[in-house]
Amino acid sequence: MGVYTVHLAGESYRNSDGTPRQRIIRRLSSGDPLRLVREPDNRHDPDAVAVHARGGQVGYVARDQCGWVAEIIDAGRPISASVLSRAAPADRPDVFGVLMEVRTAADARLSPPLLAPSRLDQKSSVPWPIIGVLALVAAVAAALAIAR
């Protein structure tokens, strides 16, 4: 099984029914399940993958990562997602970003292969790109916020 850290985009927008995505995101906790929904007719990106939580859409798989997620969904291969963490930057404490953990079948071919494993103890020859660092920073920030 492959386990990857994936960031979202579009978390600050409202959904088509007017619901602010931030309202839904504020209710999320680490481990909450997320549903990945392909949007092949999306006018902005034919590889678009919407991310839904209980309560509605919370954003999209970021453009730099949606291609391989779309490939797996389109091929009918197993894929699942859950909330890894949510955090707000110090300069915008009212706007939360979300990192999710995406799990794929062992035989799922990923392109591009330079994706960060979301578990620090997972053995991998793949170098951690910046998203791995962001995941670590978000996890530490969330832990510090809980400790307060």
Side-chain angles (χ1 to χ4, degrees), residues 16-142:
S16 59
D17 66 359
T19 304
R21 292 177 183 168
Q22 286 293 304
R23 182 182 303 158
I24 300 166
I25 291 169
R26 283 188 186 96
R27 295 190 307 247
L28 295 177
S29 297
S30 180
D32 283 352
L34 298 169
R35 191 167 45 95
L36 303 175
V37 179
R38 276 287 280 125
E39 290 187 358
D41 297 327
N42 184 299
R43 65 185 172 114
H44 300 288
D45 187 349
D47 288 333
V49 178
V51 180
H52 293 258
R54 188 176 7 127
Q57 184 175 352
V58 293
Y60 285 89
V61 173
R63 187 174 296 224
D64 63 337
Q65 297 176 321
C66 67
W68 67 268
V69 174
E71 283 179 29
I72 293 170
I73 294 170
D74 292 348
R77 296 204 170 154
I79 189 167
S80 61
S82 61
V83 175
L84 182 60
S85 66
R86 67 177 175 85
D91 61 334
R92 298 217 37 214
D94 58 326
V95 179
F96 286 91
V98 177
L99 286 172
M100 64 180 174
E101 184 173 85
V102 174
R103 291 166 300 286
T104 64
D107 65 343
R109 301 239 188 262
L110 305 180
S111 59
L114 296 177
L115 301 169
S118 64
R119 294 195 182 121
L120 293 176
D121 60 347
Q122 184 173 349
K123 299 281 188 220
S124 175
S125 61
V126 177
W128 274 54
I130 190 68
I131 189 62
V133 174
L134 293 174
L136 182 59
V137 169
V140 169

